[in-house]
């Protein structure tokens, strides 16, 4: 499954699932309250006020000393950025987190009410996770049967089956598998196989000679040593070093993220026999069979990396393979093991990798755990309580307006052949928006949640998710399925489903406020809708046709003209240097930058169309177009800790928020709205502005 998200909210997870992101969760702060209205001497029915400012934008957060043409992000957000500290339990903080904190508080109230009810699965899962005294009291005993299973392995021939069991338990192994739509046969589910096997977020953390990354690698070695020591294992230092050496070799054969985001290069369907032959050293047939996926064909994401990792497994001593499973288990389940493991895990993954000084309080983590394990059970209560039907109706209309704007824009394109335009219109007509929450919920009857067994609950929840995923093989496509909960502050595009998805919780201020001026809403949620829509026409999404099939439906001349434009966008973003010596990777972030550029373009068209030929009013001295771009800048408010930003620059397909806000420099109406001086930093002459859709 290829999902393109609006934002990456959570990083530095010890297990990185290639090609798929579920349950994006954000770490916390006070929610903006609606401004108190002055008592009116003669009370009259009054239009409700927006949450932010007088028309939906927080003007107090601007820095008027900065010229919009020099730095549009800080012009709109500079005072906010200066005056808003990052809470101690977060690696970054902005509009997404403010809403996430709010959703988490609401979910907290739901779970707190459920936790006294012994018949409530969500209540039991939540209460059990909260009870750290009980978790501490048990020591490593709950994990012992699984740890013993790892230790009992004496022959390498048994490793593929053990790795499959680890994967089902939610423990990262050198290969990732996933059942999703076959890109070239979207009516059928298929098994995909990807490179994996790293305990740090990216191959560069192992391979880079940059001092910061060398330092982090040393901290990783120390971390693994500490984990083994805490578990009472002898020779911890030497064994940790062997794991780091093994993973460094894996990093050396892995594809880069830029290579891995290419939908064409990563589609390599073959028989398992062909895979065995091309990647000797690891018994994939046994691995798939033990993982309940006894397939004949598999789609291999990165063939040379998979072959390289198979070879490295063959060369590695069995003890190193077992130790890797051991440390990965202790890290992945650290939150349901004694607190010494939890603290050690956070010190590396939270503080070293992301710069976060303090761990979140337990109830927030318990909300995350329960929402992850029993997502739909929690979601059903959440939407019934917190999602007004009027919001869905308003969002439906906005989505229609933005799709209509994209439709008109396709007609105007100078670089696309007429026959391709016909197909592009057909693809647009095939779009299925999902708004708010699913119309069908998962059933967790097969998942046992036991009071007092936090570790077991976690393992069984992972087993349930794995089993549910692999059970799709041979079954009809689940068109009803969502890749995010309604509480998630995010949105996504799914190429195979030809769908765009907007969870309930993002349909709130500052993204969408029914009481805000429409220009602000079009610059906020309108541009988010445009962004997701445009993903289906970005450098990868455009390869999928109206049925979600990966195929060539463009003429060669279209492809060439499109590439010339996207190359210019890559070059533009490559210039940005958010940290000294570290640039934005234009090729890694291309899909997101195309989606921002096109999304903001069509949202502006939709805003103009919504005015029905009338002039937009001037509010507080601000024009409609100015408010539109303010709305865009406001949703990207975000402060980062340095380590988090460094990690994002390597791993995140999204550009940092400041650079996302700067995409306006390519848009003619922005020049009309702010009239920037040609000497300002963002100013581009019309021939240098990138225009794609
Ligand atoms: Zn996106």
């Amino acid at each position: 499954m290829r999902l393109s998200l609006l934002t990456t909210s959570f990083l530095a997870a010890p297990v990185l699932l290639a090609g798929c992101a579920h349950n994006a969760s954000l770490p916390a702060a006070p929610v903006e309250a609606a401004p108190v209205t002055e008592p009116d001497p003669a009370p009259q029915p009054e239009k409700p006020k927006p949450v932010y400012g007088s028309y939906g934008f927080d003007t107090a957060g601007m820095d008027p000393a900065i010229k919009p043409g020099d730095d549009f992000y800080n012009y709109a957000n500079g005072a906010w950025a200066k005056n808003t500290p990052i809470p101690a339990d977060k690696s970054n903080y902005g509009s997404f987190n403010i809403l996430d904190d709010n959703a988490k508080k609401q979910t907290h109230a739901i779970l707190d009410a459920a936790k006294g009810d012994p018949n409530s699965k969500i209540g039991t899962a939540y209460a059990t996770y909260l009870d750290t005294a009980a978790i501490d009291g048990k020591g490593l005993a709950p994990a012992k049967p699984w740890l013993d299973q790892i230790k009992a392995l004496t022959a390498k021939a048994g490793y593929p089956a053990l790795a499959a069991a680890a994967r089902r338990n939610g423990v990262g192994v050198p290969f990732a598998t996933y059942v999703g739509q076959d890109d070239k046969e979207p009516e059928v589910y298929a098994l995909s196989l990807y490179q994996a096997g790293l305990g740090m977020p990216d191959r560069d953390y192992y391979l880079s000679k940059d001092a910061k990354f060398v330092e982090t690698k040393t901290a990783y070695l120390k971390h693994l040593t500490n984990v083994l020591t805490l578990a009472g294992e002898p020779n911890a230092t030497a064994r940790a070093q062997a794991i780091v050496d093994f993973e460094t070799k894996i990093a050396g054969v892995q594809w880069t993220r830029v290579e891995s985001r290419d939908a064409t290069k990563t589609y390599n369907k073959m028989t398992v026999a062909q895979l065995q032959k091309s990647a000797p050293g690891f018994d994939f047939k046994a691995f798939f069979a033990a993982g309940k996926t006894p397939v004949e064909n598999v789609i291999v994401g990165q063939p040379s990396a998979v072959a390289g990792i198979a070879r490295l497994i063959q060369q590695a001593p069995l003890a190193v393979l077992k130790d890797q499973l051991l440390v990965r288990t202790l890290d992945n389940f650290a939150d349901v093991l004694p607190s010494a493991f939890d603290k050690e895990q956070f010190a590396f993954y939270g503080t070293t990798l992301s710069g976060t000084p303090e761990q979140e309080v337990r109830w927030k983590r318990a909300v995350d755990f329960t929402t992850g394990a029993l997502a739909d059970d929690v979601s059903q209560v959440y939407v019934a309580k917190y999602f007004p039907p009027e919001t869905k109706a308003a969002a439906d209309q906005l989505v229609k307006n933005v799709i209509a704007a994209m439709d008109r824009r396709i007609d105007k394109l100078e670089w696309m052949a007429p026959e391709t335009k016909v197909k592009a219109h057909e693809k647009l007509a095939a779009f299925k928006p999902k708004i708010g929450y699913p119309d069908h919920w998962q059933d967790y009857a097969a998942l046992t949640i036991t009071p007092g067994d936090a570790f077991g609950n976690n393992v069984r929840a992972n087993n349930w998710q794995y089993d549910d995923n692999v059970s799709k093989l041979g079954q009809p496509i689940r068109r009803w399925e969502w890749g995010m909960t309604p509480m998630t502050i995010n949105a996504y595009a799914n190429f195979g489903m030809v769908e765009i998805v907007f969870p309930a919780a993002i349909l709130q201020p500052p993204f969408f406020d029914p009481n805000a001026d429409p220009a602000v809403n079009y610059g906020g949620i309108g541009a988010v809708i445009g962004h997701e829509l445009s993903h289906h026409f970005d450098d990868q999404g455009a390869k999928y046709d109206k049925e979600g099939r990966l195929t060539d439906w463009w003429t060669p001349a279209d492809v060439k003209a499109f590439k010339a434009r996207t190359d210019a966008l890559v070059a533009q973003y490559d210039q940005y240097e958010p940290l000294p010596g570290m640039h934005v990777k234009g090729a890694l972030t291309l899909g997101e930058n195309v989606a921002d550029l096109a999304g903001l373009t069509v949202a502006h068209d939709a805003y103009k169309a919504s005015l029905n030929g009338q002039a937009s009013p001037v509010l507080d001295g601000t024009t409609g177009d100015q408010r539109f771009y303010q709305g865009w800048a406001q949703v990207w408010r975000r402060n980062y800790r340095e380590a988090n930003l460094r990690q994002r620059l390597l791993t995140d397909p999204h550009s940092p928020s400041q650079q996302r806000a700067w995409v306006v420099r390519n848009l003619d109406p922005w020049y009309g709205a702010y009239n920037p001086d040609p000497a300002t930093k963002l100013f581009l002459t019309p021939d240098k502005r990138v225009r794609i859709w």
Side-chain angles (χ1 to χ4, degrees):
M1 166 162 60
R2 277 185 184 266
L3 300 186
S4 280
L5 314 182
L6 176 65
T7 181
T8 303
S9 34
F10 187 69
L11 294 168
V15 186
L16 294 171
L17 246 189
C20 169
H22 278 284
N23 290 336
S25 75
L26 290 155
V31 177
E32 297 268 342
V36 179
T37 313
E38 289 294 320
D40 192 330
Q44 286 169 5
E46 215 183 326
K47 192 173 178 281
K49 294 248 191 288
V51 169
Y52 290 92
S54 64
Y55 54 83
F57 174 73
D58 168 34
T59 45
M62 300 174 78
D63 184 347
I66 293 175
K67 291 179 187 158
D70 274 333
D71 177 356
F72 187 64
Y73 175 86
N74 275 306
Y75 159 76
N77 300 325
W80 176 89
K82 230 172 276 168
N83 300 326
T84 308
I86 301 172
D89 63 353
K90 292 192 199 310
S91 62
N92 66 94
Y93 187 69
S95 297
F96 287 84
N97 310 74
I98 291 166
L99 284 184
D100 184 65
D101 285 340
N102 192 32
K104 212 170 262 183
K105 274 186 194 162
Q106 293 168 327
T107 311
H108 184 206
I110 292 168
L111 295 176
D112 236 21
K115 82 171 192 272
D117 176 0
N119 296 316
S120 165
K121 224 170 208 180
I122 58 174
T124 304
Y126 177 72
T128 300
Y129 188 96
L130 273 183
D131 191 353
T132 48
I135 292 170
D136 274 329
K138 291 183 177 183
L140 277 181
K144 196 160 182 299
W146 166 242
L147 297 178
D148 284 349
Q149 196 183 329
I150 297 173
K151 288 180 182 176
L153 185 70
T154 51
K156 213 132 173 220
Y159 177 70
L162 183 66
R167 192 141 169 61
R168 182 169 177 265
N169 285 343
V171 174
V173 302
F175 300 107
T177 52
Y178 188 77
V179 173
Q181 279 173 291
D182 183 331
D183 272 0
K184 294 200 174 174
E185 229 179 317
E187 292 305 318
V188 175
Y189 281 118
L191 181 71
S192 289
L193 175 75
Y194 305 98
Q195 65 183 23
L198 303 184
M200 289 196 284
D202 189 85
R203 66 199 292 278
D204 280 10
Y205 279 87
Y206 293 85
L207 305 175
S208 172
K209 301 277 181 273
D210 179 284
K212 284 280 183 191
F213 291 107
V214 172
E215 204 178 285
T216 306
K217 192 176 175 183
T218 307
Y220 180 54
L221 172 64
K222 180 89 182 13
H223 165 66
L224 295 184
T225 308
N226 293 347
V227 171
L228 289 167
T229 305
L230 282 172
E233 295 294 324
N235 305 320
T237 311
R239 289 164 68 183
Q241 184 66 58
I243 297 169
V244 175
D245 291 346
F246 176 56
E247 292 183 357
T248 304
K249 286 181 197 154
I250 291 180
V253 301
Q254 279 199 351
W255 287 20
T256 64
R257 281 173 194 272
V258 172
E259 291 164 330
S260 294
R261 67 177 289 276
D262 188 319
T264 319
K265 281 189 197 153
T266 50
Y267 187 92
N268 305 283
K269 196 171 186 175
M270 58 185 82
T271 64
V272 174
Q274 283 169 326
L275 172 64
Q276 299 265 72
K277 212 172 153 201
S278 62
F282 181 81
D283 189 346
F284 288 99
K285 197 167 180 216
F287 179 60
F288 295 150
K292 304 186 188 181
T293 51
V295 291
E296 277 172 31
N297 295 295
V298 59
I299 299 166
V300 181
Q302 303 100 339
S304 66
V306 165
I309 295 169
R311 192 178 62 242
L312 290 168
I313 290 173
Q314 188 176 36
Q315 291 163 359
L318 179 61
V320 176
L321 301 177
K322 288 162 64 177
D323 280 351
Q324 192 193 30
L325 293 180
L326 190 66
V327 295
R328 204 90 330 133
T329 299
L330 295 168
D331 267 337
N332 285 3
F333 292 100
D335 56 338
V336 286
L337 290 174
S339 59
F341 289 94
D342 196 34
K343 284 194 183 113
E344 177 57 38
Q345 198 271 357
F346 179 77
F348 182 70
Y349 286 101
T351 306
T352 303
L353 280 179
S354 300
T356 311
E358 274 177 31
Q359 203 163 23
E360 282 189 304
V361 293
R362 191 73 185 177
W363 73 258
K364 291 185 189 172
R365 304 172 69 199
V367 166
D368 282 344
F369 169 73
T370 313
T371 307
L374 296 155
D376 285 15
D377 280 2
V378 180
S379 301
Q380 286 182 64
V381 189
Y382 175 86
V383 294
K385 244 181 126 122
Y386 297 114
F387 187 53
E390 309 86 76
T391 301
K392 187 167 162 66
D396 276 336
Q397 191 55 50
L398 274 167
V399 168
K400 280 197 186 105
N401 294 353
V402 175
I403 290 180
M406 185 74 172
D407 213 34
R408 293 191 295 272
R409 197 148 267 281
I410 287 169
D411 285 328
K412 287 191 215 148
L413 292 178
E414 289 164 3
W415 54 268
M416 186 179 260
E419 61 267 37
T420 315
K421 285 185 181 178
V422 172
K423 292 178 190 163
H425 283 302
E426 287 172 1
K427 179 168 173 175
L428 211 49
F431 264 91
K432 285 170 280 295
K434 287 178 173 169
I435 297 166
Y437 55 91
D439 50 23
H440 177 98
W441 300 103
Q442 289 278 17
D443 176 2
Y444 300 101
L447 170 56
T448 304
I449 295 293
T450 307
D453 185 13
F455 179 86
N457 289 345
N458 197 338
V459 172
R460 285 187 296 274
N462 291 346
N463 291 163
W464 187 92
Q465 273 172 11
Y466 180 90
D467 292 348
D468 180 62
N469 178 250
V470 300
S471 76
K472 292 177 179 176
L473 282 170
Q475 297 298 313
I477 301 297
R478 294 183 189 174
R479 303 248 161 230
W480 53 269
E481 197 171 54
W482 281 50
M484 279 177 187
T485 69
M487 296 81 86
T488 311
I489 320 302
N490 212 329
Y492 68 89
N494 185 339
F495 300 156
M497 295 281 200
V498 200
E499 67 183 10
I500 47 178
V501 186
F502 306 95
I506 199 172
L507 303 170
Q508 299 184 80
F511 294 90
F512 172 69
D513 185 342
N515 302 315
D517 177 66
V520 179
N521 282 333
Y522 272 100
I525 197 70
V528 167
I529 295 165
H531 173 103
E532 298 308 337
L533 190 61
S534 303
H535 266 310
H536 290 274
F537 298 93
D538 74 16
D539 67 312
Q540 300 306 317
K543 297 174 178 175
Y544 296 76
D545 69 8
K546 64 177 177 180
E547 283 157 358
R549 189 184 314 273
L550 179 62
T551 182
D552 294 325
W553 57 281
W554 293 31
T555 68
D558 293 331
V559 174
K560 204 174 156 211
F562 184 71
K563 181 148 191 319
R565 284 163 167 77
T566 56
D567 282 351
L569 204 61
V570 170
Q572 186 179 104
Y573 280 77
D574 273 341
Q575 292 169 8
Y576 299 141
E577 190 179 352
L579 287 174
M582 274 194 91
H583 286 248
V584 173
K585 292 186 178 192
L588 175 64
T589 56
L590 176 60
E592 297 300 333
N593 299 334
V594 170
D596 281 348
L597 176 59
L600 202 53
T601 303
V602 294
H604 186 265
D605 286 358
Y607 167 58
K608 285 300 198 198
S610 77
L611 295 171
N612 290 318
Q614 305 289 307
S616 58
V618 172
L619 302 176
D620 294 352
T622 310
T623 67
D625 276 2
Q626 288 173 339
R627 295 193 296 278
F628 173 84
Y629 293 111
Q630 285 177 339
W632 171 249
Q634 180 168 251
V635 301
W636 294 113
R637 284 184 175 180
R638 170 141 53 182
N639 286 335
Y640 299 96
R641 295 189 192 280
E642 193 190 309
N644 180 250
L645 184 54
R646 185 176 304 111
Q647 186 185 150
R648 283 171 183 270
L649 287 168
L650 271 192
T651 63
D652 191 346
H654 305 89
S655 299
S657 288
Q658 186 177 26
Q659 285 72 34
R660 292 189 77 162
W662 289 350
V663 74
V664 295
R665 67 193 301 205
N666 296 295
L667 306 169
D668 295 339
W670 178 75
Y671 288 82
Y674 287 99
N675 198 20
D677 189 286
T680 51
K681 290 178 194 145
L682 294 177
F683 188 93
L684 293 171
T685 51
D687 59 309
K688 293 278 187 290
R689 296 172 198 163
V690 180
R691 303 159 206 273
I692 302 180
W693 289 99

